[in-house]
Amino acid sequence: QHRSKPALRANKNMILLFLLFVRCVLCEELIGWRMIDRFMGFRFEIQGQVQDIGFEEAVRDKADELACFGWIQESELGTMVGEARCAKAVGNILKDFLRMGPDGADVE
């Protein structure tokens, strides 16, 4: 069978694109396109004077400001526990906020 030149050219282009993609994946040139490269998640438990001072609401506000999502609640042990998912670019900002807490908090 004889194929037309446009069909052969299209097949060559598809093969070249496929090979380029495989090369990029194997060489890790596409770092940043995978979910694991763009997002981070962590769990936390905060001890200290963190209840009855608006800590939970302050953390929610900061998470909203940073476009993070997750949950936070008081534990039976008197600590605050939770989980957060953020873009890697802002995840450490939320972690730093959790280490310091809002005004009036005494994080241990």
Side-chain angles (χ1 to χ4, degrees):
Q1 289 182 356
H2 181 19
R3 294 185 183 183
S4 67
K5 286 186 179 184
L8 287 174
R9 193 172 309 132
N11 285 342
K12 282 183 182 178
N13 287 342
M14 291 294 286
I15 290 170
L16 288 173
L17 284 172
F18 175 75
L19 292 175
L20 179 61
F21 176 77
V22 169
R23 179 182 166 267
C24 287
V25 169
L26 293 177
C27 296
E28 297 183 353
E29 291 178 20
L30 291 177
I31 291 176
W33 72 274
R34 298 176 300 187
M35 295 288 277
I36 194 168
D37 294 330
R38 295 182 291 160
F39 298 101
M40 67 182 298
F42 56 92
R43 293 181 178 163
F44 57 87
E45 182 173 17
I46 310 295
Q47 299 178 356
Q49 181 57 41
V50 292
Q51 292 187 350
D52 303 322
I53 59 164
F55 187 88
E56 189 174 345
E57 186 175 338
V59 171
R60 284 191 179 121
D61 290 345
K62 188 67 169 179
D64 286 344
E65 175 188 321
L66 298 172
C68 300
F69 63 94
W71 57 271
I72 183 170
Q73 67 184 30
E74 296 180 5
S75 75
E76 294 175 358
L77 302 174
T79 62
M80 299 298 285
V81 295
E83 188 172 339
R85 299 276 184 268
C86 303
K88 278 192 174 179
V90 297
N92 286 329
I93 296 171
L94 184 60
K95 282 184 176 183
D96 290 343
F97 182 80
L98 291 169
R99 287 184 189 106
M100 299 299 295
D103 291 339
D106 183 21
V107 178
E108 296 176 2

